[in-house]
Amino acid sequence: MMNILLAFLPIIVILVLMLGFKLSSKVALSTALLLTILIVAFRWQLSAQAITGYVLFGFLKAFDIIVVVFGAIFILNILKYSGGMSVISQGFNGISEDRRIQVIIISWLFGAFIEGAAGFGTPAALTAPLLVGLGFPPLAAAMSALILDSTSVSYGAVGTPMFGMQSAISQQLIELGVPVDSFMASVSFATALIHAFGGFFIPAMCILFMVKIFGKNKSFKDALPALPLAFFSSIAFLVPYIFTASVLGFELPALLGGIIGLIIVIFAVHHKFLVPKEAWYFPNKNDWASSWSGENIAEPVQPKTSMSLFMAWLPYILISVLLVLTRIPALGLKQILSQQGILIPNIGGIEGLDYEFKWAYLPGIIPFTVIAILTIFLHKMKKDEVLCSIKYTLKQTSNAIIPLFSGVAMVQLMLKTDNNPLNLPTMLDIMAQFFTDISGSAYIIVSPLIGILGAFFSGSNTVSNILFSGLQLEAARMVHSNPVIIIALQNVGGAIGNMICINNIVAACATVGLLGKGEGKLLGYNILPCLLYTIFALLGASILIHYNIFDGLASFFATNTHSQ
């Protein structure tokens, strides 16, 4: 019991400090890191060298995220000071001035495309500032970007979470006599079907929360005229998403679902299909609550008269094209870029603890920073415009250093606590095992919660899958649950946790100027949609089980594991 309490204590402290005392992530995560160091030192008895090495390794891993945040902020500020953002804003207003429609097009569909191409927090870091540029309150933009970056996450970065899952459980499957390719194909299809239950409602849910929290009338009624289009956008995304997951595998569902849905919905809006008769806007900026906005990261300037809508959008077009070209393995560029890195071996003197800075593969550098520099020339920016862009970018990025470094270092300590003289399991394993023990035959309810837990800590569906897929597979065998559904729920849970994970919240706040004042509110706002999505996912999984979907492979699994 003591180990369970100690394992949960850092997360409890984070929640209490951020939600209860409304403290910033800088304070909460720094405190949690110090507490974790004390816990692993005295209870897990890790040496000072081991603790130092793992913390340093965490700092280096956090640097990867900082680079992504820097690139996203840099391209945003370049566009603002070149006047491109003003042109983009006018262009979206040309499609529709309705903020409810804009959030669907940008965060749900364009965000899904970016998730499918790049993943790892890139969509929220890209779409939240874009919404701010259109006139959204920064807190509303960050909230919407995180809520809507959910359904697509399980297939993010050209299927990376699924590849991570496969690497984690392939040996287990081989030892159990279960065909790996067939199992993973079934998990891919099951993941899409389960996501469809939450994904169908999540755009409407986001609009409902947005108008209730940030609307002038604070009323759900303001969302009702936009709900038909929200559900239509869900179908436009989910149909190609599910088809791709079932036929083409797990690399392209989010990417193809996003781009196909984006084309369909823009076409529908252009022809006034399901478009509300009256546009909805946020209150006047003077009437915003103080918590809705923070540091003004960069003021939009008047567009250059010669800049066309195409030229304003060209940087984002180039970013999207480069993301696709550098993330699809068959094209070859992914392998070339991912092999370019700077290796730092044996961090802290710990054998095998190596960090590699894959500078060419991080989206913060290629394409964000590269395209930002190219945009300086494309938009014919003046020297003072470029200097102001760099100044604001460095200032805002520096604000994210302490919370991100603290959060990632804490996770690394929790991951590495299995290397202890007492042979105790890791802190994360203890938390997951706790949920397993208390659930028994109702393990299906717990499975997505473990996925959420992993994503909450690590900020990654991929890491959550790597951490807990093996445990989930073993638990499914122990409680005689359908392993395909259980593993799919792990994958779905890791995506749902994307809404509330600390790293993504900090990164989103950083890109819209809310660091130090918005993290606690953002976490509080996103917990309810996270729970609702989980309920819808469990409903979907229960229906699949009730109608014996995927039972063929499950029966094969049971037959080959009863003797284990």
Side-chain angles (χ1 to χ4, degrees):
M1 180 58 71
M2 179 59 68
N3 290 341
I4 294 174
L5 290 175
L6 290 174
F8 275 101
L9 190 56
I11 185 174
I12 293 172
V13 167
I14 291 172
L15 293 174
V16 169
L17 292 180
M18 291 184 67
L19 295 179
F21 291 92
K22 311 297 182 184
L23 296 178
S24 69
S25 60
K26 181 186 297 186
V27 174
L29 291 173
S30 298
T31 303
L33 173 60
L34 293 175
L35 178 60
T36 305
I37 290 173
L38 293 175
I39 291 173
V40 301
F42 289 101
R43 181 65 188 103
W44 271 260
Q45 297 185 13
L46 264 65
S47 67
Q49 180 186 13
I51 293 173
T52 302
Y54 297 143
V55 169
L56 289 174
F57 183 73
F59 288 169
L60 290 170
K61 295 295 287 184
F63 182 69
D64 289 351
I65 304 173
I66 291 291
V67 170
V68 176
V69 171
F70 173 87
I73 296 172
F74 191 28
I75 186 65
L76 169 72
N77 287 332
I78 285 291
L79 284 172
K80 283 189 172 182
Y81 276 93
S82 73
M85 187 57 66
S86 294
V87 176
I88 290 173
S89 178
Q90 293 170 8
F92 270 113
N93 286 330
I95 297 174
S96 174
E97 296 182 358
D98 195 320
R99 305 308 189 198
R100 299 166 300 185
I101 295 176
Q102 290 174 345
V103 78
I104 290 173
I105 291 174
I106 296 173
S107 288
W108 171 241
L109 297 169
F110 182 63
F113 170 75
I114 297 299
E115 177 65 49
F120 297 100
T122 305
L126 195 63
T127 63
L130 187 55
L131 292 174
V132 172
L134 293 172
F136 280 61
L139 188 60
M143 182 194 78
S144 302
L146 288 173
I147 290 175
L148 293 176
D149 185 28
S150 48
T151 308
S152 57
V153 172
S154 292
Y155 304 97
V158 201
T160 299
M162 295 285 289
F163 281 114
M165 172 184 287
Q166 180 172 302
S167 69
I169 64 174
S170 59
Q171 190 59 39
Q172 280 178 276
L173 293 172
I174 291 171
E175 292 174 358
L176 295 170
V178 178
V180 176
D181 291 342
S182 298
F183 186 84
M184 292 304 300
S186 295
V187 170
S188 176
F189 190 22
T191 296
L193 291 176
I194 293 171
H195 261 311
F197 285 84
F200 180 73
F201 292 101
I202 198 68
M205 196 186 306
C206 179
I207 292 173
L208 285 165
F209 277 90
M210 188 175 75
V211 302
K212 177 65 175 178
I213 297 171
F214 300 98
K216 181 179 180 180
N217 299 321
K218 308 288 185 184
S219 173
F220 288 127
K221 291 182 179 180
D222 289 341
L224 298 181
L227 295 189
L229 182 65
F231 291 125
F232 175 76
S233 73
S234 298
I235 296 171
F237 169 76
L238 289 171
V239 170
Y241 171 85
I242 294 172
F243 175 81
T244 305
S246 63
V247 176
L248 300 179
F250 52 74
E251 290 92 346
L252 299 175
L255 193 148
L256 291 182
I259 192 62
I260 293 172
L262 185 65
I263 294 170
I264 292 172
V265 172
I266 289 179
F267 180 82
V269 172
H270 180 72
H271 288 83
K272 307 299 181 183
F273 179 68
L274 299 179
V275 173
K277 292 181 179 179
E278 295 183 5
W280 182 86
Y281 305 93
F282 291 103
N284 187 281
K285 191 171 183 179
N286 296 329
D287 297 325
W288 290 0
S290 59
S291 60
W292 293 7
S293 57
E295 178 187 359
N296 197 351
I297 58 175
E299 285 291 342
V301 298
Q302 291 300 314
K304 295 179 173 65
T305 54
S306 59
M307 189 181 298
S308 65
L309 182 61
F310 172 78
M311 183 58 68
W313 265 106
L314 184 57
Y316 280 129
I317 294 172
L318 293 175
I319 285 173
S320 301
V321 171
L322 276 179
L323 284 173
V324 173
L325 293 178
T326 58
R327 264 57 184 177
I328 297 178
L331 298 178
L333 288 175
K334 178 178 180 178
Q335 292 84 341
I336 295 173
L337 295 180
S338 62
Q339 291 171 1
Q340 310 304 313
I342 301 172
L343 180 66
I344 304 178
N346 305 326
I347 305 298
I350 301 175
E351 186 70 28
L353 188 63
D354 303 334
Y355 166 76
E356 186 174 9
F357 177 54
K358 295 187 176 182
W359 59 270
Y361 192 66
L362 283 175
I365 295 177
I366 300 175
F368 285 171
T369 299
V370 170
I371 297 302
I373 294 172
L374 178 61
T375 303
I376 294 173
F377 300 98
L378 290 175
H379 288 186
K380 300 177 181 179
M381 295 178 66
K382 298 176 181 178
K383 181 179 178 180
D384 60 335
E385 294 172 341
V386 175
L387 292 176
C388 284
S389 301
I390 295 173
K391 172 187 173 183
Y392 277 107
T393 300
L394 291 175
K395 182 178 180 181
Q396 189 181 3
T397 304
S398 66
N399 292 335
I401 291 176
I402 292 178
L404 282 177
F405 276 37
S406 298
V408 178
M410 180 186 71
V411 170
Q412 289 303 318
L413 277 177
M414 290 182 165
L415 290 175
K416 305 298 184 182
T417 42
D418 57 337
N419 299 318
N420 65 83
L422 303 179
N423 292 320
L424 295 173
T426 71
M427 296 173 73
L428 287 177
D429 279 342
I430 287 174
M431 286 185 278
Q433 191 64 54
F434 169 78
F435 288 123
T436 307
D437 292 341
I438 65 174
S439 63
S441 59
Y443 185 76
I444 185 176
I445 298 175
V446 174
S447 180
L449 300 180
I450 293 175
I452 291 171
L453 177 69
F456 176 82
F457 269 109
S458 67
S460 169
N461 195 167
T462 301
V463 174
S464 180
N465 285 350
I466 292 172
L467 286 175
F468 296 131
S469 291
L471 182 147
Q472 300 266 26
L473 190 64
E474 178 63 17
R477 186 186 69 82
M478 292 173 62
V479 300
H480 306 294
S481 289
N482 187 314
V484 173
I485 302 299
I486 294 298
I487 294 296
L489 282 171
Q490 156 64 38
N491 198 23
V492 171
I496 297 172
N498 197 64
M499 299 184 198
I500 59 171
C501 76
I502 297 298
N503 289 354
N504 283 357
I505 286 176
V506 171
C509 285
T511 58
V512 296
L514 283 173
L515 267 183
K517 64 180 295 186
E519 301 95 323
K521 277 191 171 292
L522 199 53
L523 179 59
Y525 287 153
N526 287 8
I527 284 177
L528 183 55
C530 177
L531 292 176
L532 290 174
Y533 199 119
T534 304
I535 293 171
F536 285 126
L538 288 171
L539 174 63
S542 299
I543 291 174
L544 295 181
I545 291 174
H546 178 75
Y547 286 101
N548 301 318
I549 310 297
F550 306 108
D551 258 16
L553 193 56
S555 299
F556 182 91
F557 181 92
T559 302
N560 285 270
T561 58
H562 282 160
S563 62
Q564 297 297 318

